Amino acid sequence: MMLQEERRFLPDMNRLSILVSVILLAYAVMPFVTLTTRDIVIRVIGAEFVFRLNFSTIISILTSALAATGMNWLVGDHPHFSRKSGWQHWILPALTAWVIGVPLRTLFIGWQWWAVFAFGGLLLVLVFLAEYIVVDLSDVRHTMASLGLIAVSFALYLVISIAVRAADWRVYLLAPALAIPMFLVCLRALYLRLEGRWCVAWSAGIALFISQFGVALHYWPIMPLTFGLLVLGPAYALTSAAAAIEEECSWQTLWIEPAVMLFLFWGLAVFWSGWFQAQ
């Protein structure tokens, strides 16, 4: 009886294995398929916006969509699943599937590529499992799963920030590339920390601030990792502060976690920048 009750709150392993296998298979064939890169040009009031489309971009988009719809497929049989708010479980799986492709597109086939590939598969499984668990707020594993998802979400945002900086995009692409993922990450993180409360205004405000902060850093001669850490610091600090305010924490203690994490990430950025210059 106890075994049946526990299995009730775990996803169907056949569905999970099929979903992860299809996503990884798509990335596995990516290095062996080459298609002509096409530039999509959009002209608005005399300004020209160029978007480059290649096979790896198509794969990333398709795997992200597959991860989102697959997550909906997984949680659909959860006894506490509500279709009204089911979309929230799509965010992190889609971001995870997309971010996995970032290093796979740049690395050559070798042990490093396969290590990233294997780690990406493991991360996908953990994200799918954690998202399934947090559907039920009364699940004893809910707190641990929520903390894991929050940590993964900000780690993914760090990778996105590094990738955006490394791509050296124009400002009109940089700003939305930082703002949209930040809005989704912040929205999901606050929902998990506040156990079911939506904070759209906080998420939008933080996303706008972080995108403008990233635009300002765009003109600094800094490395991609330094850029990512400098952006991640205030992103996490502001999200943490927003959660503490919503929880009505004391002003004497509210600032501690945001300040510590901001100091930590910016300290790592300064350390990395100084270490690289010393080399």
Side-chain angles (χ1 to χ4, degrees), residues 91-97 99-100 119-120 122-131 144-160 181 184-186 188-189 192 232 236 265:
I91 298 173
L92 290 185
L95 284 177
T96 304
V99 167
I100 289 173
F119 177 75
L122 177 61
L123 185 61
L124 268 176
V125 172
L126 294 177
V127 168
F128 285 137
L129 288 174
E131 283 288 356
M144 187 63 66
S146 296
L147 292 175
L149 288 176
I150 292 172
V152 169
S153 64
F154 281 100
L156 294 176
Y157 190 72
L158 174 62
V159 177
I160 291 173
L184 296 175
V185 166
C186 185
R188 187 66 175 133
L192 291 170
L232 184 64
Y236 186 91
F265 288 125

Side-chain angles (χ1 to χ4, degrees), residues 12-187:
D12 185 289
M13 291 304 161
N14 290 326
R15 293 186 179 187
L16 179 61
S17 60
I18 291 173
L19 179 58
V20 175
S21 298
V22 172
I23 294 174
L24 293 181
L25 179 62
Y27 279 123
V29 301
M30 187 172 64
F32 307 103
V33 179
T34 303
L35 296 179
T36 304
T37 301
R38 299 191 63 177
D39 290 338
I40 301 175
V41 181
I42 300 177
R43 294 180 177 85
V44 180
I45 318 177
E48 232 180 47
F49 300 92
V50 181
F51 302 91
R52 181 155 295 177
L53 186 65
N54 52 35
F55 182 70
S56 60
T57 304
I58 296 173
I59 288 294
S60 295
I61 294 173
L62 290 178
T63 53
S64 298
L66 180 60
T69 55
M71 189 68 244
N72 190 68
W73 182 44
L74 282 179
V75 299
D77 64 350
H78 196 290
H80 296 281
F81 175 65
S82 173
R83 296 197 177 277
K84 293 182 179 179
S85 59
W87 63 270
Q88 63 178 294
H89 302 287
W90 307 349
I91 298 173
L92 290 185
L95 284 177
T96 304
W98 185 83
V99 167
I100 289 173
V102 173
L104 294 180
R105 288 195 297 266
T106 57
L107 293 173
F108 293 103
I109 295 294
W111 71 267
Q112 291 180 325
W113 192 95
W114 286 109
V116 172
F117 181 80
F119 177 75
L122 177 61
L123 185 61
L124 268 176
V125 172
L126 294 177
V127 168
F128 285 137
L129 288 174
E131 283 288 356
Y132 191 90
I133 291 172
V134 298
V135 171
D136 182 14
L137 295 177
S138 62
D139 195 309
V140 293
R141 302 160 297 178
H142 183 274
T143 301
M144 187 63 66
S146 296
L147 292 175
L149 288 176
I150 292 172
V152 169
S153 64
F154 281 100
L156 294 176
Y157 190 72
L158 174 62
V159 177
I160 291 173
S161 303
I162 294 172
V164 168
R165 176 65 175 184
D168 196 22
W169 284 353
R170 306 282 289 275
V171 170
Y172 68 84
L173 292 176
L174 175 69
L178 291 176
I180 296 174
M182 184 72 261
F183 173 77
L184 296 175
V185 166
C186 185
L187 188 69

